[in-house]
């Protein structure tokens, strides 16, 4: 009787235990979604370091973050393991629109244009006001307009003539351009110019001198402080403003620009411009300057060098670069294979971001290796700008 009772009790226990065993519950893996930064922008002074807030994000953890697009940031914007975006003290002024890639076990998702970084130059007071030339000769009965000056400091600026020696006949606008009327009497006018911005005011004594006389002085002493430019084929360039002695106004023309034709121009401030249509080669330029007193020629006064454009293809340039510097990860194995054209062309912005990051920072590539040099990075940039040729 006791044995029968024990068996019954044991069976009941087994039934109770069996009834408590359930099928395992599986939680579905969700892709990353709804990445948000609040606020979604950051303003940082150049030379400073700043970070975003940590973003909100739905999906199955853990996540891995990377930046897919940061045009022209030079690797000075990075993202951490928690999704926090950080700028370093080398970021140049400008606006940077950031796209973020988030990866979990279900795959990767790109979130385009989710964050904006605005880097601004430190505010500084006006300094180093320079007119080129700083002394001008004007014929009696003619008007004069200076070129805009160069000026250091934070714009916008307000310009003011201190102790104006000829009110109504000499004026200055908010670009710093000085104008004299045809009614300005003969004489020499040394101008003291006051410049104001949001944080201060500076006065520049004798910044510009206008000499008005009855006798015109012919052009002489034309000089470019930098008398050459070097550009790549398809690029453009502009010279510095030259200095010249003589009586304003002047007319400038090019008397020799071998094979340059309309692709090289000069304006009446003496600025020489090379247009994008200028073919590769070396151009020795001679300049003619004319005023009311005569004409002067200045032979071989400026040189433009246009380099041949290097046509960058994936096969000839990018693939060998990847094979040499990224072989431990991106030629075989579980990482993205960037010796494959489709992969490399799809991810070129991500690649450029990673190779331009500061060595040792999160996401820097090549991993645990010296950084690519400027020429190697330029190959990748040229490949992108030329249309990702295969």
């Amino acid at each position: 009787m006791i044995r029968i009772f024990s068996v019954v009790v044991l069976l009941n226990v087994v039934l109770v235990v069996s009834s408590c065993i359930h099928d395992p519950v599986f939680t579905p893996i969700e892709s990353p979604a709804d990445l948000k930064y609040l606020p979604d922008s950051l303003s940082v002074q150049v030379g400073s370091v700043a970070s975003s807030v940590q973003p909100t994000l739905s999906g199955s953890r853990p996540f891995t973050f990377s930046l897919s697009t940061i045009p022209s940031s030079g690797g000075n914007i990075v993202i951490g393991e928690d999704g926090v975006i950080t700028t370093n003290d080398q970021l140049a002024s400008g606006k940077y629109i950031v796209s973020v890639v988030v990866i979990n076990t279900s795959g990767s998702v790109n979130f385009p244009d989710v964050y904006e970084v605005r880097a601004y130059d430190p505010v500084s007071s006006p300094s180093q006001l320079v007119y080129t030339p700083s002394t001008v000769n004007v014929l009696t009965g003619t008007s004069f307009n200076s070129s805009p000056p160069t000026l250091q400091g934070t714009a916008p600026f307000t310009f003011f003539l201190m102790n104006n020696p000829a009110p109504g006949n000499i004026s200055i606008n908010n670009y710093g351009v000085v104008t004299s009327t045809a009614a300005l009497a003969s004489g020499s006018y040394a101008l003291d110019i006051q410049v104001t911005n949001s944080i201060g005011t500076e006065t520049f004594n004798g910044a510009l001198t206008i000499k008005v006389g009855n006798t015109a002085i012919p052009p002489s002493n034309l000089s470019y402080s930098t008398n050459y430019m070097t550009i790549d084929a398809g690029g453009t360039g502009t010279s510095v403003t030259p200095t010249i002695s003589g009586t304003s106004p002047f007319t400038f023309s090019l008397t020799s620009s071998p094979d340059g034709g309309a692709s090289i121009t000069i304006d009446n401030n003496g600025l020489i411009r090379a247009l994008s249509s200028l073919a590769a080669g070396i151009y020795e330029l001679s300049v003619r300057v004319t005023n009311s007193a005569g004409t002067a020629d200045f032979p071989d006064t400026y040189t433009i060098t246009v380099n041949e454009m290097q046509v960058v293809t994936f096969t000839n340039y990018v693939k060998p670069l990847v094979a040499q510097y990224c072989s431990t990860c991106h030629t075989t194995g579980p990482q993205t294979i960037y010796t494959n054209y489709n992969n490399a062309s799809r991810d070129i912005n991500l690649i450029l971001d990673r190779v331009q990051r500061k060595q040792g920072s999160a996401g820097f590539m090549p991993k645990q290796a010296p950084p690519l040099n400027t020429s190697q990075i330029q190959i990748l940039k040229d490949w992108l700008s030329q249309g990702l040729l295969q």
Side-chain angles (χ1 to χ4, degrees):
M1 189 70 176
I2 292 174
R3 287 180 182 175
I4 294 172
F5 178 77
S6 299
V7 171
V8 171
V9 170
L10 181 59
L11 287 172
N12 286 334
V13 170
V14 171
L15 289 172
V16 170
V17 171
S18 298
S19 66
C20 294
I21 298 174
H22 300 282
D23 292 334
V25 177
F26 295 98
T27 303
I29 297 174
E30 298 179 352
S31 299
D34 302 320
L35 178 71
K36 289 185 176 64
Y37 291 86
L38 296 173
D40 61 359
S41 63
L42 173 69
S43 292
V44 56
Q45 181 174 292
V46 171
S48 301
V49 175
S51 297
S52 73
V53 297
Q54 187 171 345
T56 59
L57 177 66
S58 60
S60 300
R61 297 180 182 275
F63 300 113
T64 301
F65 297 85
S66 63
L67 299 175
S68 62
T69 306
I70 327 172
S72 306
S73 73
N76 296 310
I77 301 176
V78 299
I79 192 167
E81 295 178 356
D82 55 359
V84 172
I85 296 170
T86 300
T87 69
N88 66 25
D89 58 5
Q90 302 301 309
L91 183 65
S93 61
K95 182 170 74 171
Y96 304 88
I97 305 300
V98 179
S99 298
V100 175
V101 173
V102 185
I103 302 173
N104 68 0
T105 53
S106 71
S108 65
V109 177
N110 183 49
F111 298 90
D113 304 341
V114 292
Y115 202 75
E116 179 180 297
V117 176
R118 294 184 293 270
Y120 59 90
D121 289 312
V123 178
S124 57
S125 58
S127 65
Q128 302 180 43
L129 178 72
V130 176
Y131 285 88
T132 302
S134 59
T135 300
V136 294
N137 294 282
V138 179
L139 189 63
T140 302
T142 61
S143 60
F144 164 75
N145 289 296
S146 75
S147 298
T150 60
L151 177 64
Q152 301 296 314
T154 304
F157 301 106
T158 301
F159 295 82
F160 178 72
L161 290 174
M162 301 288 291
N163 304 313
N164 191 337
N169 287 315
I170 300 178
S171 60
I172 191 169
N173 67 17
N174 278 333
Y175 298 100
V177 174
V178 174
T179 298
S180 65
T181 70
L184 186 63
S186 296
S188 181
Y189 302 87
L191 306 181
D192 300 332
I193 297 175
Q194 186 181 82
V195 186
T196 300
N197 68 358
S198 61
I199 66 166
T201 298
E202 294 291 335
T203 300
F204 303 90
N205 295 318
L208 178 66
T209 299
I210 301 175
K211 294 182 176 181
V212 182
N214 293 318
T215 303
I217 301 171
S220 63
N221 302 320
L222 176 70
S223 177
Y224 291 84
S225 60
T226 302
N227 63 352
Y228 65 90
M229 75 170 78
T230 302
I231 60 175
D232 292 328
T236 61
T238 302
S239 72
V240 297
T241 302
T243 59
I244 188 169
S245 301
T247 302
S248 296
F250 300 103
T251 300
F252 295 80
S253 61
L254 295 173
T255 57
S256 69
S257 55
D259 302 320
S263 297
I264 303 175
T265 65
I266 189 169
D267 67 17
N268 279 333
N269 291 316
L271 287 172
I272 296 171
R273 291 182 172 86
L275 307 184
S276 60
S277 54
L278 187 60
I282 298 175
Y283 302 86
E284 298 287 348
L285 308 181
S286 297
V287 178
R288 175 171 292 169
V289 185
T290 301
N291 69 358
S292 60
T295 296
D297 287 322
F298 302 91
D300 301 332
T301 194
Y302 200 85
T303 302
I304 299 175
T305 302
V306 183
N307 296 322
E308 290 278 2
M309 179 183 291
Q310 175 180 263
V311 178
V312 178
T313 64
F314 175 77
T315 301
N316 292 337
Y317 289 92
V318 178
K319 185 175 180 179
L321 189 66
V322 172
Q324 181 175 355
Y325 292 96
C326 313
S327 59
T328 56
C329 297
H330 294 287
T331 57
T332 58
Q335 301 294 335
T336 305
I337 305 304
Y338 286 140
T339 49
N340 175 281
Y341 170 79
N342 291 331
N343 292 343
S345 59
R346 180 196 65 208
D347 291 348
I348 182 60
N349 286 315
L350 175 59
I351 294 168
L352 275 168
D353 168 47
R354 293 299 186 92
V355 300
Q356 293 180 95
R357 294 187 184 187
K358 188 175 181 180
Q359 187 175 10
S361 65
F364 165 79
M365 293 294 170
K367 191 174 183 180
Q368 297 178 343
L372 300 185
N373 62 38
T374 302
S375 298
Q376 292 161 341
I377 292 173
Q378 191 62 47
I379 287 174
L380 298 173
K381 290 181 177 179
D382 290 342
W383 185 50
L384 174 60
S385 67
Q386 292 175 19
L388 303 173
L389 301 176
Q390 189 165 1

